Amino acid sequence: MLRTTGGRAISLLRTKQMSLAFRTPSLIHKYSTSDKSNDDVVSRIKVNPIKRVNESLDKKRARLVYQSRKRGILETDLLLSGFAAKYLKDMTNEELDEYDALLNELDWDIYYWVTKNYKTSPVPDRWKDSKLLKKLQDFSENKEKKILRMPDLENY
């Protein structure tokens, strides 16, 4: 963090007070662990999905394409965008609704579920019997051993 004073930049991180504050064990503990009885990290960072009423099938597919490509975490972007390019155009309305619900989950959770890293993030009961998640897991195995790239938009 820099502050300009009289035309000169002064680094606040170089001051003893700031460097000690960032190294204080109690602060590190406060932000690296959560007391489950008082603090639920997911409820603090997860945003409730927007309720969409009367959304046409074309608009829903276009939105899901965008949400599959622009997640914020490259690993999840690559998996979901490739999956969407391959399967989205053939999904039924019910499958699109299920995929939409999956995209409302946290990015790293999706990534760990798709790559079957259950030790890091166990699959919640609502997704355990999901055919769509199973299909996504099969896709992520990359049996063709292709280098994953963001698909061109004409592939959707």
Side-chain angles (χ1 to χ4, degrees):
M1 183 173 355
L2 297 175
R3 184 180 355 156
T4 304
T5 315
R8 295 184 311 176
I10 300 171
S11 174
L12 295 178
L13 293 176
R14 290 185 184 164
T15 65
K16 287 184 180 180
Q17 294 85 4
M18 291 298 288
S19 62
L20 288 175
F22 285 114
R23 286 190 228 152
T24 304
S26 62
L27 288 176
I28 293 168
H29 178 72
K30 178 179 178 182
Y31 293 106
S32 64
T33 62
S34 62
D35 179 8
K36 295 192 188 276
S37 63
N38 295 330
D39 186 22
D40 181 18
V41 174
V42 173
S43 68
R44 285 190 290 129
I45 61 175
K46 191 168 180 182
V47 177
N48 289 332
I50 297 170
K51 302 278 187 216
R52 292 178 169 78
V53 183
N54 299 326
E55 183 178 41
S56 71
L57 203 54
D58 290 337
K59 282 192 177 189
K60 181 186 275 189
R61 280 198 172 98
R63 178 176 55 79
L64 294 175
V65 164
Y66 179 82
Q67 290 178 332
S68 297
R69 293 174 60 93
K70 306 293 183 183
R71 301 296 301 176
I73 298 173
L74 181 60
E75 294 85 350
T76 309
D77 291 347
L78 291 172
L79 289 173
L80 293 177
S81 63
F83 179 80
K86 187 171 183 176
Y87 295 109
L88 199 67
K89 59 185 163 272
D90 298 323
M91 286 185 187
T92 66
N93 197 33
E94 292 77 27
E95 290 172 324
L96 290 172
D97 288 340
E98 185 177 359
Y99 187 64
D100 191 8
L102 180 67
L103 293 182
N104 288 326
E105 299 290 346
L106 298 174
D107 289 356
W108 280 115
D109 286 341
I110 295 171
Y111 178 77
Y112 290 132
W113 301 338
V114 169
T115 58
K116 300 179 182 176
N117 190 343
Y118 305 129
K119 186 176 182 182
T120 304
S121 181
V123 176
D125 291 339
R126 66 183 173 276
W127 293 110
K128 283 190 177 175
D129 297 324
S130 170
K131 291 178 185 176
L132 183 95
L133 182 58
K134 176 66 176 139
K135 194 178 206 180
L136 191 49
Q137 288 170 335
D138 290 343
F139 175 81
S140 77
E141 290 177 7
N142 193 13
K143 294 174 184 168
E144 298 88 24
K145 303 295 183 208
K146 292 182 182 179
I147 295 173
L148 295 179
R149 301 181 192 276
M150 192 67 68
D152 293 328
L153 285 173
E154 64 260 5
N155 292 340
Y156 291 91

